[in-house]
Amino acid sequence: MLQQLKCRSERLFAKLTEADTTQTSGHQQTRTCQSMAKPSSSPKTSRSGSKTPKSRSSIDFNSVPLIALNMGVRKKFSLYLNPETSVAANWMALAEEMGFDYLEIKNYEREENPTMKILEDWQARCTKGGSVGLLLDFLRKIERDDILTDLSRFIEEDCRKYFEREKLEKMEMQKKKNQPVQVHTVDSSDIRTPELQGITTRDDPAGGMPELFDAFICYCRADISFVHEMIKQLEQSSFRLKLCVFDRDVLPGTCVWTITSELIEKRCKRMVVVISDDYLDSDECDFQTKFALSLCPGARQKRLIPVKYKSMKKTFPSILRFITVCDYTNECTKAWFWTRLAKALSLP
């Protein structure tokens, strides 16, 4: 009996030991799986000790003139600097850094946008127009790093656009330098067809010596009466000048613009422009005047002579304002009018 109890107890002890071993192994396996599933944490890095450096612009702002900053960026500067606050430096501090004195700064207080005004004046005051880099240094000195942070991408964008424009301009200049020097006589301007050899009533039909004139008269059909008076005073008098009057001297049947260009450029030494209200409405007169001006920019050769023969209601043409006018409407100088005009047309 005792032997049976002893065998039973040994079997019970063996079962308990086996169960305990299995439970312990399960706990260890669970811990191992949990440790494998848990992600490995990397060491934290503080903001001040960040291993990734801040990206810096490759633009040399000191080489960029202030003119590169467009109106959009300048208005953004104004939004930051115009308000008067006790916690941040405003446009006055920037003006002091730029070298403006007390009285100048006081005068800027009257401006609606003082920041915009000091930027313009500082740009004009500096010998080279100031630079973007110097402006950014001023903002750092007055401790407005917030402006640099918030507007950095807008400033860089304007600077890049400036460099792109400079690059394109240099390429255009290089192209012009590489172009061959134009010959004295443009091939396309030479007479190649006989249509321009017989365009006036006294031209040689055989294509010999073309008829030449002292002056081409640019006039509107409504002013033909004054043209008749001009013929009488300049041609049928002691002055003996030869005028080119389109309706009298040009043969019909050819292109108006081609003939006009030929006469003004090669057949006539001068051009008299009869100014009136009707002249301003004439497309032909406008073309003739602009063509003559293109042949002598700035009136250096006295090629074009404006004549005002009656009062006008409309504004005098702006393209002729810089040229001395022969005024027929001025009674005080009317006695000298024809002599002055004749001598001007007689110049070589």
Side-chain angles (χ1 to χ4, degrees):
M1 186 68 179
L2 291 174
Q3 185 67 25
Q4 290 178 354
L5 290 173
K6 182 178 180 181
C7 292
R8 190 178 297 175
S9 62
E10 287 178 355
R11 286 196 297 268
L12 181 61
F13 178 77
K15 290 181 180 180
L16 290 175
T17 303
E18 184 179 358
D20 184 60
T21 303
T22 304
Q23 186 176 5
T24 303
S25 176
H27 283 303
Q28 290 178 352
Q29 186 175 3
T30 303
R31 292 193 192 99
T32 303
C33 293
Q34 290 177 352
S35 63
M36 291 177 65
K38 188 177 182 180
S40 59
S41 59
S42 58
K44 295 183 180 180
T45 306
S46 62
R47 293 184 180 180
S48 59
S50 177
K51 295 181 180 181
T52 305
K54 294 182 179 180
S55 59
R56 294 184 178 179
S57 174
S58 59
I59 299 176
D60 180 14
F61 293 109
N62 291 321
S63 63
V64 184
L66 193 65
I67 196 174
L69 298 183
N70 291 326
M71 293 300 296
V73 173
R74 296 178 184 234
K75 288 180 180 179
K76 288 181 175 65
F77 276 128
S78 303
L79 294 177
Y80 282 87
L81 294 170
N82 280 346
E84 295 185 7
T85 61
S86 58
V87 296
N90 61 358
W91 63 269
M92 293 184 181
L94 179 61
E96 287 184 3
E97 290 293 334
M98 288 178 170
F100 293 99
D101 57 31
Y102 172 77
L103 293 178
E104 289 175 322
I105 295 175
K106 292 297 290 182
N107 288 330
Y108 285 132
E109 290 182 346
R110 305 173 185 175
E111 297 289 337
E112 182 179 355
N113 193 337
T115 302
M116 187 80 73
K117 183 62 175 174
I118 64 172
L119 289 176
E120 293 176 357
D121 290 354
W122 182 66
Q123 176 180 322
R125 176 179 294 189
C126 295
T127 54
K128 295 184 179 180
S131 68
V132 176
L134 192 55
L135 174 62
L136 301 183
D137 289 340
F138 290 154
L139 293 174
R140 292 188 187 96
K141 289 181 180 179
I142 64 175
E143 298 181 352
R144 290 306 303 265
D145 294 330
D146 57 321
I147 300 178
L148 302 178
T149 303
D150 296 345
L151 304 184
S152 59
R153 68 184 184 91
F154 300 105
I155 298 172
E156 290 180 9
E157 183 179 356
D158 279 359
C159 293
R160 288 195 179 93
K161 290 180 179 178
Y162 171 80
F163 282 128
E164 289 176 1
R165 290 194 300 268
E166 287 285 306
K167 185 178 180 180
L168 291 176
E169 289 177 1
K170 288 180 180 179
M171 291 175 62
E172 290 295 329
M173 291 180 63
Q174 190 64 32
K175 286 182 181 179
K176 292 180 180 179
K177 288 181 180 179
N178 295 334
Q179 290 178 353
V181 179
Q182 186 173 338
V183 295
H184 180 69
T185 303
V186 182
D187 294 339
S188 60
S189 66
D190 293 338
I191 299 177
R192 295 186 176 184
T193 58
E195 65 180 28
L196 297 180
Q197 297 177 0
I199 59 177
T200 63
T201 57
R202 296 186 181 182
D203 267 349
D204 185 1
M209 187 67 183
E211 186 178 11
L212 303 178
F213 303 89
D214 291 305
F216 180 90
I217 309 301
C218 173
Y219 64 96
C220 181
R221 297 292 189 277
D223 302 325
I224 191 67
S225 60
F226 182 74
V227 176
H228 281 287
E229 180 67 20
M230 189 178 295
I231 294 172
K232 179 181 177 181
Q233 295 291 338
L234 299 177
E235 282 191 342
Q236 303 170 2
S237 64
S238 59
F239 297 120
R240 309 298 296 174
L241 294 171
K242 191 174 182 180
L243 307 179
C244 180
V245 180
F246 195 91
D247 292 305
R248 181 192 67 174
D249 299 314
V250 177
L251 295 174
T254 51
C255 178
V256 175
W257 312 112
T258 305
I259 296 174
T260 303
S261 304
E262 168 72 12
L263 291 171
I264 295 173
E265 182 179 5
K266 297 182 178 180
R267 303 282 193 98
C268 303
K269 294 190 296 182
R270 303 280 187 276
M271 187 172 91
V272 177
V273 184
V274 181
I275 308 296
S276 66
D277 289 333
D278 296 305
Y279 160 87
L280 298 174
D281 297 329
S282 172
D283 293 334
E284 293 182 10
C285 293
D286 182 66
F287 167 77
Q288 295 168 7
T289 304
K290 291 179 179 178
F291 181 77
L293 285 174
S294 68
L295 298 176
C296 56
R300 291 189 295 269
Q301 299 176 0
K302 301 179 181 178
R303 191 182 185 104
L304 193 146
I305 302 173
V307 171
K308 180 181 177 183
Y309 88 99
K310 65 180 180 181
S311 58
M312 299 175 59
K313 296 180 180 179
K314 299 179 181 179
T315 306
F316 193 85
S318 57
I319 60 175
L320 300 177
R321 287 180 180 175
F322 63 91
I323 303 177
T324 306
V325 179
C326 211
D327 194 353
Y328 191 70
T329 63
N330 191 343
E331 296 295 334
C332 299
T333 60
K334 196 171 184 179
W336 309 323
F337 176 83
W338 295 112
T339 302
R340 291 178 64 225
L341 182 57
K343 288 186 176 180
L345 297 178
S346 300
L347 293 174

